[in-house]
Amino acid sequence: ANLMAGPPASANPIELTAASSMIFFVASDGTAPAQLWRSDGTAPGTVKLTQFSDIGYPTVGSLASWSGQLFFRHGTNELWRSNGTAAGTALVKQIGVGAFYPTTNYLYFMAYSYSYGLWRTDGTEAGTIQIASSYSATPIGEIAGRLYFTSDGYLWSTEGTLEATVKVANLGYLGDTPAIMGGAIYYSSAADYPNYELWKNDGTPEGTSLVKEIRAGNAGSSPHDLTPAGSLLYFMANNGTTGDELWRSDGTDAGTFLLKDILPGPGSSTPTSMVALNGMLYFAVNNGVDGFELWKSNGTVAGTVPVADIAPGATSSDPQELSVADGKLWFTASNPASGAELWTSDGTAAGTTMVADLEPGTGSSTPREMTQAGRSLYFSASTSAGRELWGLQLAASAFSMG
């Protein structure tokens, strides 16, 4: 949708979030600070939901979908929700809101109300309560109806009440963000700093164990970018010989190993943009020959391979914004003929294709925030009309909603 009249003005839609088959986003039509909008995929169905007059601090942000509604922050101290109509867009509670984390029973978030803490809401003011006092609470994920989170080096869990919020275990010196796979919490930790290795906890005080000492001695392998896919955990680690490369783990010592020294020798290939699809891991990486291109792994050495050389030779296509919709991978990639445009892949070279050259020729539309809502894929793209909201009817071609 061209929300700003005439090129080269841009609405700059950001924080694309799906709720109830609609796409919500923050954008400006030039008449006021950025506001909350929603779209059903048509120009008439793309409407502004708020008209806040704040100046300075971003008016609307931290969008999150939960229980069929859209929750967001207004200003610095208000929690709001929306059902996609102006009348159904309402204040929930006056409270300083941070990032949201949705679970089955509640929407959790960090907030400030006289002190920092972890809060939850059921969408009502009465059901919006603090369940932990902490400056550093960081949600990990949900296991059997309980939210697990870290705070000051400890693992905690909660069912959404102060009474049901308990300390589980001491995780030591935490490294990268933990992840949940197969009902266990995996994390990078150093029992003796800086010896960071891969550990796991089964959600109980007695259930903490070292998965594998990847790098002998005190240097540590520093596992990071922990990404579950199927029944495996993928991550980056440095064993001191092959550099920072891709590893996998099934939670056992024997099942934790280097998948491939993608950039041979002590150098690091450092894969980026790791995302799971149909039990496979997809990522962008540079093997030192083909530039940054799209790869995949099924968790075996033989199955860790390039998907397609989008920009042939040493030139990088630089896949970014990897996301999943309609059982396929969608991303931004560049080649010399078309610039950075929207691509899709089914995991094969033949099934990796450019969707549309939205900025024709060598120019780039650089799509961002690909998000599925209902049977459409939405994203922002920059053309001669500026950066605006675009839609793609899945199994069809891209269209502008302006």
Side-chain angles (χ1 to χ4, degrees):
N2 190 349
L3 308 180
M4 292 282 282
S10 295
N12 289 318
I14 59 172
E15 296 201 45
L16 275 63
T17 306
S20 293
S21 298
M22 294 180 285
I23 194 73
F24 291 79
F25 57 98
V26 178
S28 174
D29 61 4
T31 63
Q35 304 290 334
L36 179 67
W37 293 68
R38 65 91 164 151
S39 179
D40 62 4
T42 67
T46 302
V47 298
K48 183 164 54 177
L49 298 174
T50 61
Q51 190 63 45
F52 299 124
S53 58
D54 311 55
I55 301 297
Y57 192 87
T59 300
V60 177
S62 303
L63 274 59
S65 174
W66 181 76
S67 192
Q69 296 195 83
L70 190 283
F71 289 77
F72 64 98
R73 166 191 53 76
H74 166 230
T76 59
N77 61 354
E78 290 181 357
L79 170 64
W80 284 64
R81 59 176 170 80
S82 177
N83 65 2
T85 68
T89 301
L91 175 69
V92 176
K93 188 178 184 68
Q94 288 191 325
I95 187 172
V97 178
F100 292 104
Y101 194 93
T103 66
T104 302
N105 296 320
Y106 299 109
L107 179 66
Y108 291 86
F109 58 97
M110 285 297 293
Y112 181 83
S113 179
Y114 302 105
S115 64
Y116 285 99
L118 181 65
W119 289 61
R120 61 87 161 162
T121 186
D122 62 5
T124 68
E125 182 175 14
T128 303
I129 61 172
Q130 184 174 2
I131 53 96
S133 179
S134 170
Y135 279 87
S136 62
T138 304
I140 302 170
E142 185 178 8
I143 300 176
R146 297 188 68 89
L147 174 73
Y148 286 81
F149 63 97
T150 61
S151 178
D152 299 323
Y154 285 88
L155 178 66
W156 293 70
S157 76
T158 183
E159 290 181 347
T161 66
L162 188 62
E163 298 76 19
T165 302
V166 297
K167 185 185 293 185
V168 178
N170 185 347
L171 301 185
Y173 296 98
L174 274 177
D176 202 47
T177 305
I180 290 176
M181 190 272 292
I185 300 105
Y186 290 79
Y187 58 98
S188 173
S189 180
D192 298 306
Y193 183 84
N195 187 18
Y196 286 95
E197 293 293 353
L198 184 65
W199 292 69
K200 69 176 180 179
N201 178 278
D202 64 4
T204 68
E206 303 81 19
T208 299
S209 61
L210 176 67
V211 177
K212 188 182 187 75
E213 185 180 20
I214 293 173
R215 186 171 184 172
N218 294 321
S221 65
S222 298
H224 61 95
D225 290 296
L226 278 59
T227 307
S231 59
L232 297 174
L233 181 76
Y234 296 84
F235 59 97
M236 302 299 303
N238 188 337
N239 62 8
T241 303
T242 59
D244 205 32
E245 295 289 349
L246 183 65
W247 288 63
R248 57 141 272 183
S249 178
D250 62 2
T252 68
D253 183 292
T256 303
F257 53 82
L258 174 69
L259 280 171
K260 183 166 288 189
D261 187 8
I262 296 173
L263 182 63
S268 300
S269 68
T270 314
T272 62
S273 304
M274 296 195 293
V275 64
L277 171 62
N278 297 330
M280 304 275 289
L281 181 78
Y282 290 84
F283 55 98
V285 72
N286 188 344
N287 64 2
V289 176
D290 301 315
F292 273 96
E293 295 293 346
L294 182 66
W295 283 56
K296 67 179 179 181
S297 178
N298 64 2
T300 68
V301 174
T304 302
V305 295
V307 175
D309 191 6
I310 294 171
T315 303
S316 296
S317 69
D318 196 19
Q320 296 182 20
E321 302 273 342
L322 273 64
S323 57
V324 173
D326 200 36
K328 292 183 179 181
L329 190 68
W330 305 82
F331 56 99
T332 298
S334 177
N335 66 27
S338 60
E341 297 293 348
L342 180 64
W343 286 67
T344 187
S345 179
D346 63 2
T348 68
T352 301
T353 59
M354 185 172 67
V355 177
D357 191 1
L358 300 181
E359 184 67 7
T362 58
S364 299
S365 68
T366 316
R368 296 174 185 159
E369 297 192 50
M370 283 72 83
T371 306
Q372 182 175 359
R375 291 299 304 154
S376 293
L377 181 75
Y378 297 89
F379 55 95
S380 75
S382 181
T383 67
S384 57
R387 180 162 289 277
E388 298 288 349
L389 180 67
W390 286 69
L392 172 72
Q393 291 177 345
L394 292 169
S397 57
F399 60 91
S400 171
M401 296 182 327

